[in-house]
Amino acid sequence: MDARSVLAECPLFVGLSAAALDALAARAEMLEVPSGHTVVNRGARPESIYIVATGRLCAVLPDNSIAGLIGRLEPVGEIGTLSGEPHMASVHAVRDSVLVRLPGAHLYAVIEQYPEALLAMTQVIIRRLRHNRTLRRSQQQQQSRSFAVVVGSPGADALMVANHLCAALAPMKKVRLLTAESVDADLGEGVCRTPGDSSSVNQRLITYLNQIETENGYLVYVAEAADPWARRSMRQADRILFVVDADSPPMASKMLEQLRECSTRAPIELVVIRADGMDAPAMLTWRERTNARAHYYVRRDNVVDFTSLARQLTERGIGLVLGGGGARGFAHIGLLRALEELQIPVDLVGGSSMGAFFSALVACGKKHGEILDIARRTFVQQNLLNDFLFPTVALIRGRKFLRHLQQVVFGEQQIEALRMPFFCVSTNLTRGGISVHDQGPLALWVATSMAVPGVVPPVVFRGELLCDGAVANSLPTDVMYAMERGPIIASDVSTEGGIAAPGIEGPDPEGLLHMRGGGERPRLFSIMFRTATLTSESGTARRAEHADAYLRMPIEGVGLFDWKKLDEVVERGYRHALERLTPIRDQLCAPEGAQPRS
């Protein structure tokens, strides 16, 4: 591999003549960039174009969000170099990488000699910009191609995890498992433990790994000891999976020390091997020690668990977001029935207000029939909203409803212990935004997400007041999107219209008090809920853009507290979901994850 061959393969220079390529290559140089190294600083004036020969880079915006990952043969800094504008993002090496550096001054000299080169490069850049707008998510799916599966706690079976992950990835693309033993079998005893230096043996190992990556869609590295192979595995990976047993207490270890010292910018995620009936009391501490951004529970040799893990790691996991809307939220149950019948797997869930209640039941492993029974017992067969008090803070205490969630529905479950990832949102009245709850007592945070201000007292947490999530965000697809797990199905049960008093011309300050006729008079709770959620519902259209399948449920004529319409609303939701999801079912579930917009 030399600079000339990399430039010839790079799409940016595909239209250049052989003579122009030779001229560019004359001043190009090969650079070895370690994982974690900064290649470009935001705001700096471009001095060179970089082409990725091997490895992976990451572009980071000023708000620390990821603008994109940059893979083999992709350029960095070409627009800034040609326009003279400063870099808009910082670029870091996610893996140990080899780059071709092309000085900007030399590029200008070549363009003067071969002016047709500028036209060819400009055409490529324009095509890439148009292409990126339409294929951003599908491109992101291609970026997580190499995974380092690392032993985290003593005795944790990382090899078992890696083997099952390979089996789950295989239907998507060709996959290769790399162990220290397999590398040494191909290259010779001890080669895998070669330090990352300039030796010929190290160069041979780099060439070998690059060739294997070129030949396969996915690579899964396994590191079972804290040695140079583990360090290389972590620095070569797009994602690091730190494997621990659920009952293992966090402790200092050489592997944990090596994880911290390798300076990689690859995201770290925790994989917890957890049998049925087993708690994972130390999971949050493990996440803190490893700086893991997420955790996954897997049961030993459980195909379903590893299939879901593979989908989420490759951004093909299906996220379900359920919106708030009181009794209209019963339509979510119909959606769940349709998902089951269509065999569309749900990998993670989240919701707001009533959507938080139903998504929490999904995260607990409940099927739609069980959820329907729970809804009937909770909202139809008993009245849990009648513990009235003198209205200084709210109309009711909300104590009966919370006790029901704690003692009957959810028990003492903690969100972080759920096998399916779950979140709900509440509105932070103190800060004027939302709070995302992805750990802590499940019953309490679901109740908080359903606490309509004025009806139920806000929940006080660390001096701040939290209430119904639908006040600020009735459909939290933005939260789900930020998790980067894959396509999103969103169920919206908000109303386009509002409460009304048909037949009254007015203006009449007491019109509602004397309302007669066929129209149903808006009640106090409905007025308060509508008032509280008006701003949130106006932003639903914007949040719907994050959804790959957006279902606006047919809930016309259903009031916020029309609990008796349970069966009717469920049936409406089922028929609508079946109609909308059937045509795109294969796209949602396809291994290559074609992303529909519906």
Side-chain angles (χ1 to χ4, degrees), residues 541-558:
R542 173 175 47 82
R543 289 187 289 272
E545 294 177 359
H546 291 304
D548 297 85
Y550 171 67
L551 283 70
R552 189 170 189 90
M553 290 298 187
I555 38 77
E556 297 80 6
V558 179

Side-chain angles (χ1 to χ4, degrees), residues 315-366:
E315 296 191 35
R316 295 179 174 91
I318 296 178
L320 178 64
V321 178
L322 305 181
R328 299 163 184 157
F330 291 152
H332 298 322
I333 305 175
L335 166 61
L336 298 176
R337 177 186 170 189
L339 290 171
E340 291 175 22
E341 291 185 4
L342 293 172
Q343 296 183 333
I344 298 175
V346 173
D347 296 294
L348 62 163
V349 290
S352 181
S353 196
M354 183 63 92
F357 178 80
F358 289 123
S359 59
L361 291 171
V362 174
C364 291
K366 304 294 185 184

Side-chain angles (χ1 to χ4, degrees), residues 203-432:
Q203 293 301 316
R204 182 171 165 233
L205 178 54
I206 290 174
T207 301
Y208 167 82
L209 294 176
N210 289 336
Q211 183 62 34
I212 291 207
E213 179 170 353
T214 302
E215 296 171 352
N216 293 271
Y218 296 113
L219 296 186
V220 178
Y221 295 84
V222 185
E224 299 183 275
D227 57 14
W229 171 248
R231 179 181 176 84
R232 186 178 297 272
S233 296
M234 288 187 276
R235 293 172 71 93
Q236 286 290 119
D238 296 321
R239 299 170 90 149
I240 298 172
L241 306 181
F242 203 77
V243 181
V244 300
D245 287 317
D247 56 355
S248 294
M251 61 183 70
S253 68
K254 290 183 178 180
M255 188 68 84
L256 191 57
E257 182 179 341
Q258 195 167 67
L259 176 68
R260 292 168 178 163
E261 291 177 350
C262 73
S263 301
T264 179
R265 290 181 179 267
I268 301 165
E269 292 162 311
L270 194 67
V271 176
V272 183
I273 302 174
R274 177 185 172 199
D276 285 324
M278 178 182 288
D279 293 329
M283 190 279 298
L284 289 179
T285 306
W286 273 116
R287 280 190 61 170
E288 182 180 353
R289 294 275 182 92
T290 58
N291 197 29
R293 69 173 186 176
H295 68 275
Y296 307 90
Y297 293 115
V298 294
R299 288 162 286 194
R300 179 177 291 274
D301 302 325
N302 188 291
V303 174
V304 172
D305 289 354
F306 284 99
T307 301
S308 178
L309 174 64
R311 283 195 298 264
Q312 293 181 69
L313 291 177
T314 57
E315 296 191 35
R316 295 179 174 91
I318 296 178
L320 178 64
V321 178
L322 305 181
R328 299 163 184 157
F330 291 152
H332 298 322
I333 305 175
L335 166 61
L336 298 176
R337 177 186 170 189
L339 290 171
E340 291 175 22
E341 291 185 4
L342 293 172
Q343 296 183 333
I344 298 175
V346 173
D347 296 294
L348 62 163
V349 290
S352 181
S353 196
M354 183 63 92
F357 178 80
F358 289 123
S359 59
L361 291 171
V362 174
C364 291
K366 304 294 185 184
K367 300 299 183 183
H368 89 274
E370 298 173 275
I371 294 175
L372 178 60
D373 290 340
I374 292 170
R376 194 180 308 280
R377 293 196 304 269
T378 302
F379 299 104
V380 180
Q381 295 177 349
Q382 55 186 319
N383 184 1
L384 300 172
L385 304 178
N386 61 1
D387 49 347
F388 295 100
L389 47 70
F390 189 77
T392 55
V393 175
L395 295 177
I396 65 174
R397 293 182 183 275
R399 185 182 297 167
K400 288 177 64 176
F401 183 69
L402 176 58
R403 187 182 298 121
H404 178 77
L405 296 188
Q406 292 173 327
Q407 297 179 358
V408 179
V409 181
F410 299 118
E412 298 180 356
Q413 293 187 86
Q414 300 293 302
I415 293 176
E416 67 271 15
L418 298 173
R419 289 194 176 273
M420 179 180 292
F422 164 81
F423 72 86
C424 64
V425 299
S426 65
T427 298
N428 190 312
L429 295 176
T430 304
R431 298 187 183 185

Side-chain angles (χ1 to χ4, degrees), residues 3 41 73 75 92 95 123 135 147 188 195 260 298 324 385 411 442 458 466 495 505-507 513 518 552 572 580 594:
N41 286 304
L73 301 178
H92 314 285
R95 301 194 213 160
Q123 289 173 336
L135 295 180
F147 308 93
R260 292 168 178 163
V298 294
L385 304 178
L442 178 62
L466 308 180
T495 56
E505 184 65 26
L513 302 179
R552 189 170 189 90
R572 285 197 209 178
R580 296 296 304 277

Side-chain angles (χ1 to χ4, degrees), residues 116-135:
E116 72 277 5
L118 178 60
L119 176 60
M121 292 170 60
T122 303
Q123 289 173 336
V124 171
I125 290 171
I126 292 172
R127 285 197 298 269
R128 285 177 62 232
L129 290 173
R130 289 174 176 171
H131 190 66
N132 288 345
R133 290 193 188 101
T134 58
L135 295 180

